[in-house]
Amino acid sequence: MLKINYQRALELPTIKYGEEWSKNYGTMNFAIGELDTTRDEPVLFQIYVDVSASMMEIASKQQTKMSIVKHTLVNILHHFAENTTNVHVQIKGFDNRIHNYISPVLVSKDNINELLKSVEEIRPMNSTDIGLVLNELNRDVDTEYFNIPKRNRVGIVLTDGEPTSGICDVDVLADIVKSECSYHFIALGNDHNETLMYKLGHKNCYTSNWFISDIEHTGNVYGEIIFNELHRVYYENVIRVTGGKVYDYNKGEFCSEIELGTLSEETNKDFHLLIDDETIFEITISGKLLDGDTVYSEKSHCSPTQDGDNMRITKQFLRLCVQKMMFEMRQQSYTRPHEHRDIQLGGFGLRRANANTCFPPTPPHPPVLTQMGNELEEDVKEEDIKEEDVKEEDIKEENDEEP
């Protein structure tokens, strides 16, 4: 069941940056609890792993990046075999060629050993061609497998660096991405092209990007993605606001309507609001149910703002000001590509793996990381703008909100 509530600020501090939002600022929260549902539809995870030569670099504790990724893939396959009955996987590697390791197949206890042998064959080789894998992903999404609809396909691409062959223009690469299914782009380590990963992850509401600063926590991101994708409950979700606007994190502006993509169980999200006319103000979230056909629509409820609530709302207002500033800094970095690494300060817009998230995921515990979109709770923390956090330390997030 989806519950939507909003509150308006009683009084906010006077701040030069963000003064135009302070007079009619409010926050919205919606939550989806644990649902007693069984997913019968098949799901296909299409996983693409960077197998360029740089994956042989030592990451930590004398383990290479590739050995850690392979270990994670082994855990993923074991999890599917032991806990699911309708999950298919496809695993390919990419450098300046495509390497097919596992063709689309239903994962079960009967074939798990054969699949594990295929993972062991993965080895790093040549240069990195991002355009090649994006085009391959599009072809695979368009290919019919086991009558699995595109909305039940999940594309996952992991890379540790920048494109060194083929197409290298980030805008051209981002335009290759289609929107028929969920795409997750994972940046491994600090040597990736953060501008490219951000644009890939923000192409539309179905794409997301992740940043793993501590390579040992690679499995955490995969576990979070798998948990969310296997516990979807609503599709093609849209927020519409009457008498005000909601903040769109991707666009960096307030809009009357934003797309949310898919929503999963145990989701709790908060959004910035501007309440222009409280007499007609209303928020509606609509979309489709698990079957992909039934349409639902839920309207908001106004919660009276108490003195204690205003402190929390003030905290979110200050986050909005920081978010907006970071968004503008990111846009400036695009105009000075040779400086974008310094301006980024730890990867604006990229998620960091949370050390508290476990793989395999263990429902019904709520996810710690979520799709980056428009939610504000824990969007921006003080840690995000500290120079020292660009190091190997992980930023620990309190809720399933974006960094």
Side-chain angles (χ1 to χ4, degrees):
M1 183 65 180
L2 182 63
K3 297 181 180 180
I4 313 168
N5 293 284
Y6 73 89
Q7 292 179 303
R8 183 167 187 162
L10 296 175
E11 184 179 0
L12 292 171
T14 301
I15 300 177
K16 183 176 181 180
Y17 191 93
E19 183 178 2
E20 67 271 29
W21 310 311
S22 60
K23 295 181 180 180
N24 54 353
Y25 178 79
T27 64
M28 177 192 74
N29 169 270
F30 74 80
I32 304 172
E34 180 185 356
L35 303 179
D36 186 18
T37 58
T38 301
R39 182 172 186 145
D40 297 324
E41 287 188 315
V43 181
L44 172 58
F45 286 89
Q46 297 172 291
I47 303 173
Y48 305 79
V49 179
D50 189 336
V51 295
S52 60
S54 59
M55 292 293 287
M56 278 302 293
E57 295 175 358
I58 299 297
S60 61
K61 298 181 180 179
Q62 301 304 309
Q63 293 189 36
T64 65
K65 297 177 183 178
M66 181 53 66
S67 64
I68 294 174
V69 170
K70 289 168 67 173
H71 177 74
T72 301
L73 293 176
V74 167
N75 282 338
I76 290 174
L77 293 173
H78 273 300
H79 175 73
F80 288 157
E82 296 168 6
N83 299 282
T84 67
T85 58
N86 56 5
V87 173
H88 299 70
V89 298
Q90 176 184 33
I91 298 179
K92 291 186 177 183
F94 69 94
D95 43 26
N96 59 349
R97 296 190 303 157
I98 297 295
H99 308 272
N100 186 41
Y101 297 110
I102 297 179
S103 298
V105 62
L106 176 66
V107 183
S108 68
K109 294 180 180 179
D110 295 331
N111 63 5
I112 183 63
N113 290 331
E114 180 180 351
L115 298 179
L116 295 179
K117 290 179 181 178
S118 298
V119 171
E120 288 303 316
E121 297 176 1
I122 299 176
R123 71 182 193 280
M125 284 170 276
N126 304 312
S127 55
T128 307
D129 191 335
I130 302 293
L132 177 68
V133 69
L134 293 178
N135 282 307
E136 182 75 6
L137 176 56
N138 286 339
R139 283 190 291 270
D140 287 340
V141 167
D142 288 334
T143 302
E144 185 65 45
Y145 296 117
F146 313 112
N147 295 318
I148 299 176
K150 290 183 179 180
R151 71 170 185 271
N152 289 347
R153 308 282 189 90
V154 182
I156 302 175
V157 178
L158 180 144
T159 181
D160 72 329
E162 301 203 30
T164 55
S165 63
I167 302 172
C168 295
D169 185 287
V170 295
D171 293 312
V172 175
L173 289 169
D175 286 339
I176 296 175
V177 178
K178 293 184 178 180
S179 59
E180 285 90 346
C181 68
S182 295
Y183 288 163
H184 299 272
F185 299 97
I186 304 174
L188 183 63
N190 293 321
D191 295 328
H192 61 275
N193 185 317
E194 50 266 45
T195 301
L196 171 61
M197 298 302 290
Y198 179 86
K199 289 196 172 186
L200 289 174
H202 289 73
K203 177 65 182 293
N204 54 64
C205 63
Y206 295 98
T207 62
S208 59
N209 55 300
W210 307 75
F211 173 40
I212 304 173
S213 59
D214 189 334
I215 197 167
E216 287 188 332
H217 297 140
T218 305
N220 301 344
V221 168
Y222 277 102
E224 190 63 35
I225 292 171
I226 289 169
F227 179 91
N228 290 334
E229 295 294 352
L230 291 183
H231 293 80
R232 296 182 192 170
V233 289
Y234 301 116
Y235 295 89
E236 300 178 19
N237 301 280
V238 179
I239 296 180
R240 295 181 177 88
V241 180
T242 303
K245 294 181 178 180
V246 59
Y247 186 73
D248 188 323
Y249 184 89
N250 292 332
K251 297 180 179 178
E253 61 185 26
F254 282 92
C255 305
S256 59
E257 179 179 308
I258 58 175
E259 295 182 340
L260 297 179
T262 58
L263 295 174
S264 304
E265 285 185 42
E266 304 181 13
T267 293
N268 192 311
K269 296 179 182 290
D270 293 83
F271 294 79
H272 305 291
L273 297 174
L274 291 183
I275 305 174
D276 299 327
D277 187 346
E278 199 159 9
T279 61
I280 62 171
F281 186 82
E282 187 176 64
I283 306 165
T284 302
I285 300 181
S286 59
K288 295 182 179 179
L289 299 183
L290 191 62
D291 59 17
D293 297 317
T294 306
V295 176
Y296 82 93
S297 181
E298 294 286 344
K299 296 186 181 299
S300 59
H301 302 278
C302 179
S303 300
T305 304
Q306 308 296 328
D307 290 340
D309 296 326
N310 203 61
M311 178 63 70
R312 177 185 58 80
I313 297 174
T314 299
K315 179 182 177 182
Q316 309 305 350
F317 172 71
L318 296 176
R319 279 207 180 99
L320 168 64
C321 298
V322 175
Q323 276 186 323
K324 184 65 174 176
M325 180 180 64
M326 293 170 69
F327 180 87
E328 293 178 357
M329 291 175 65
R330 190 187 299 118
Q331 298 307 306
Q332 292 176 19
S333 74
Y334 294 159
T335 64
R336 303 191 300 275
H338 62 288
E339 299 177 11
H340 77 276
R341 291 188 184 279
D342 296 328
I343 294 176
Q344 189 105 357
L345 261 185
F348 294 161
L350 294 179
R351 300 173 188 73
R352 290 177 180 264
N354 190 318
N356 295 329
T357 307
C358 300
F359 187 89
T362 309
H365 299 300
V368 182
L369 304 174
T370 82
Q371 177 178 346
M372 168 172 288
N374 305 281
E375 61 271 23
L376 63 89
E377 183 70 28
E378 307 308 331
D379 276 349
V380 182
K381 298 181 163 40
E382 293 180 357
E383 295 98 318
D384 285 322
I385 53 177
K386 289 182 180 179
E387 187 100 36
E388 59 266 24
D389 284 330
V390 184
K391 300 177 182 178
E392 294 181 358
E393 303 172 2
D394 278 13
I395 294 179
K396 294 187 177 180
E397 301 177 26
E398 300 167 5
N399 294 309
D400 69 329
E401 312 300 335
E402 65 192 23

